[in-house]
Amino acid sequence: MIAGAGVVGLGTALLLCRDGHDVTVLERDAEAPPAGTDAIWESWQRKGVNQFRLPHFFLARYRRLLSTELPDVAEALAAAGAIRLNTVLDAPETVRGPARDDDGAFEVISARRCVVEAAVASVAERSPRLEIRRGAPVAGLVTGPAARDDVPHVVGVGLATGEEIAADLVVDMTGRRSPLPRWLEAIGARAPRDELDDCGFVYYGRHFRSASGDIPPSIGGFLQHLGTISSLTLPADNGTWSVTLVTSAQDKALRALHNAETWEKTMRSLPLVAHWLDGEPIDDRVMAIAGIEDRHRNLMVGGTPVATGVVAAGDAWACSNPSVGRGVSIGMLQATVLRDTISATGLEDPWEFACSFHDATADIVEPWYRDTLAADRHRLAEIDALIEGKEYRPADPGWEVSQALTAAALKDPDCLRGFVTVAMVLSRETDVLSGPGMLEKVTALGGDWRDEPIPAPSREELPSTVAYG
Ligand SMILES: Cc1cc2nc3c(=O)[nH]c(=O)nc-3n(C[C@H](O)[C@H](O)[C@H](O)COP(=O)(O)OP(=O)(O)OC[C@H]3O[C@@H](n4cnc5c(N)ncnc54)[C@H](O)[C@@H]3O)c2cc1C
């Protein structure tokens, strides 16, 4: 049983069904996706997902998973008008060098978030062994005899209507605002260990559409750190794309970005980004989101599970700074870990399963969360330093080399592929840099990254800062 029919929840359900399990997905929101991308964008009500109409981009790791595990979802996405692009081969040949045999790994299939979710849902809804019940909010957990040591053992869930649904395993996939700690408390379980942090960024984004169906060219990358702001320019489906400015929540001077006119002036002041505004806005205002938590939930406390028969996955397990676009790729990576752990360990011994799933998640998935968290903290500290007019020089060689890799990506085809490999969640930075000669090359070509000009007005000249006065 899966609580939550979000984009990762449904993807997880599909993986489990195809491995021979019967899966019921219980979703709080009542509405199924309407037919047609315009209706999906304009009218599908998804109050359960705050970021439902905010800019998203789906990375090569997700595309690879769809190609190998869920090709019918990739087909549904293509049919819905998703864009396919190659994050290396689409760069100028002067930067990427000649095409290589394995460059297909960098291919991406992406679309607006609601369009991707509708495509996954369309496949899930006709999938054998899978039942989706919408308008069925889970209200709590149901327990049976403990598997071991008086630790509560979950055997199903209770709905708000009082109905109880039995399950061999309950997977909490209710997203960033998962109520699992409350549910666990109600069955007498120890509290899970939550690490919580407001990730400290604010997003100001809009979507556009071109009359021709063309998408503006990316110059300088989808994500650019431009002093105290970052820009995100993300191609999507059916000639649409999104443009976002990301700032620190502490940066009061930039709050004027809520205002559409100030937002546009600020965007137009960025030479590598301004051309992304040349389309028709398809949302009626600048969409802002703040208070997005970095959160990691651990159901193993003191070396033992707080409960058996229940696990957390997707954003309900961990969520972090969305500007790097990793949430769905990391969530679906964990979905494969869940499927493989069930297959290897079985569910007959719930204690063993809980420990095995925890260990496999910690080994395979958590490092991606930790890397993202570390990068977020550096970026926020860098913004704070820049606001004060100081240079950010942390005593962390990992951060230095990461910045050097970003700078070297524009100067060397190997460094470009190394950078994109990390950005697309294909391999971690430590693995990329341990390749033959990579660290030396990155240091030689990118070590002077602080001297690179920033293609943006100074902070004092930014229209949003000027508007603040
Ligand atoms: C601003 C922003 C931008 C982002 N951009 C990107 C991006 O570019 N690329 C990327 O990969 N990721 C991005 N993410 C992250 C991505 O949105 C999440 O990783 C993804 O939605 C997680 O999917 P999920 O299925 O785990 O949870 P969700 O999509 O949050 O779904 C949870 C579901 O649970 C349901 N639910 C809640 N409570 C209950 C209940 N009691 N009973 C039943 N159902 C319940 C909700 O209604 C919802 O449908 C972004 C996030 C934010 C905040």
Side-chain angles (χ1 to χ4, degrees):
M1 206 286 305
I2 293 179
V7 66
V8 180
L10 287 177
T12 305
L14 282 169
L15 287 183
L16 293 178
C17 289
R18 286 172 193 190
D19 216 34
H21 304 284
D22 294 315
V23 180
T24 302
V25 181
L26 301 170
E27 166 57 44
R28 184 172 57 188
D29 288 351
E31 215 180 294
T37 47
D38 286 345
I40 289 165
W41 171 252
E42 282 157 22
S43 65
W44 189 13
Q45 293 300 311
R46 289 288 280 117
K47 289 201 164 61
V49 183
N50 275 348
Q51 69 271 30
F52 195 61
R53 285 191 174 74
L54 285 162
H56 274 63
F57 190 65
F58 293 81
L59 304 178
R61 181 70 181 244
Y62 185 60
R63 195 271 315 145
R64 185 172 87 186
L65 184 134
L66 295 185
S67 305
T68 53
E69 309 264 6
L70 300 171
D72 44 355
V73 173
E75 280 163 27
L77 271 170
I83 188 166
R84 265 187 193 272
L85 53 88
N86 189 299
T87 45
V88 164
L89 292 179
D90 293 349
E93 193 167 348
T94 46
V95 176
R96 65 161 164 86
R100 299 180 187 176
D101 288 346
D102 45 8
D103 281 342
F106 304 115
E107 190 177 77
V108 157
I109 181 161
S110 195
R112 285 168 290 176
R113 152 69 190 245
C114 53
V115 173
V116 173
E117 191 169 308
V120 181
S122 71
V123 175
E125 260 145 32
R126 55 174 193 263
S127 187
R129 293 177 168 273
L130 175 49
E131 185 193 5
I132 305 172
R133 287 180 60 182
R134 296 185 186 270
V138 173
L141 303 169
V142 176
T143 52
R148 200 163 132 184
D149 295 349
D150 292 334
V151 166
H153 177 56
V154 172
V155 294
V157 296
L159 301 187
T161 53
E163 184 188 353
E164 291 190 353
I165 298 169
D168 296 331
L169 178 68
V170 173
V171 186
D172 172 26
M173 304 204 69
T174 56
R176 287 183 164 255
R177 291 172 291 163
S178 149
L180 185 59
R182 197 160 33 82
W183 294 348
L184 287 168
E185 190 184 356
I187 59 166
R190 289 173 297 149
R193 205 173 64 229
D194 275 11
E195 290 169 49
L196 188 66
D197 222 349
D198 180 338
C199 87
F201 295 102
V202 189
Y203 294 73
Y204 302 92
R206 296 203 80 168
H207 286 80
F208 293 83
R209 186 196 301 273
S210 69
S212 63
D214 294 341
I215 300 225
S218 179
I219 312 168
F222 298 131
L223 169 63
Q224 299 182 42
H225 295 312
L226 304 166
T228 53
I229 57 173
S230 304
S231 68
L232 274 170
T233 45
L234 306 176
D237 56 283
N238 298 295
T240 66
W241 64 89
S242 63
V243 185
T244 303
L245 276 174
V246 187
T247 71
S248 161
Q250 304 305 321
D251 197 346
K252 293 199 178 76
L254 297 186
R255 289 192 187 156
L257 287 169
H258 274 287
N259 177 288
E261 207 180 314
T262 309
W263 182 88
E264 181 166 346
K265 271 194 200 155
T266 306
M267 281 295 183
R268 292 233 179 256
S269 75
L270 307 175
L272 304 188
V273 176
H275 63 289
W276 285 87
L277 298 190
D278 297 338
E280 177 207 348
I282 55 170
D283 29 32
D284 53 5
R285 62 195 158 90
V286 175
M287 317 263 273
I289 186 166
I292 311 165
E293 293 162 346
D294 279 330
R295 183 183 49 68
H296 175 264
R297 175 160 296 153
N298 192 344
L299 299 187
M300 291 286 276
V301 176
T304 57
V306 297
T308 54
V310 61
V311 292
D315 272 20
W317 164 71
C319 44
S320 62
N321 168 22
S323 63
V324 286
R326 291 179 167 184
V328 173
S329 290
I330 296 177
M332 286 306 296
L333 172 63
Q334 192 187 23
T336 63
V337 167
L338 177 65
R339 177 200 57 194
D340 296 345
T341 310
I342 295 175
S343 167
T345 312
L347 296 170
E348 293 74 28
D349 182 340
W351 186 277
E352 192 195 345
F353 172 75
C355 297
S356 302
F357 180 59
H358 169 268
D359 291 350
T361 296
D363 281 353
I364 299 168
V365 197
E366 192 172 329
W368 283 105
Y369 171 76
R370 299 285 161 206
D371 287 354
T372 312
L373 196 64
D376 284 0
R377 293 199 169 135
H378 274 302
R379 176 66 184 138
L380 279 173
E382 181 186 45
I383 292 176
D384 286 348
L386 294 175
I387 290 173
E388 288 177 23
K390 294 182 189 150
E391 204 170 55
Y392 181 56
R393 283 193 181 270
D396 179 358
W399 159 259
E400 288 292 332
V401 80
S402 198
Q403 300 307 298
L405 177 61
T406 308
L410 294 173
K411 299 177 184 167
D412 174 82
D414 293 332
C415 295
L416 173 70
R417 285 168 176 80
F419 170 79
V420 175
T421 297
V422 178
M424 293 290 128
V425 187
L426 296 169
S427 293
R428 292 178 63 212
E429 193 166 279
T430 43
D431 297 328
V432 164
L433 292 170
S434 64
M438 269 304 273
L439 184 57
E440 294 72 18
K441 203 180 226 188
V442 164
T443 313
L445 293 174
D448 58 358
W449 61 271
R450 284 194 174 78
D451 301 334
E452 302 281 342
I454 296 178
S458 71
R459 180 171 171 78
E460 293 69 35
E461 290 161 348
L462 270 181
S464 41
T465 322
V466 172
Y468 178 69

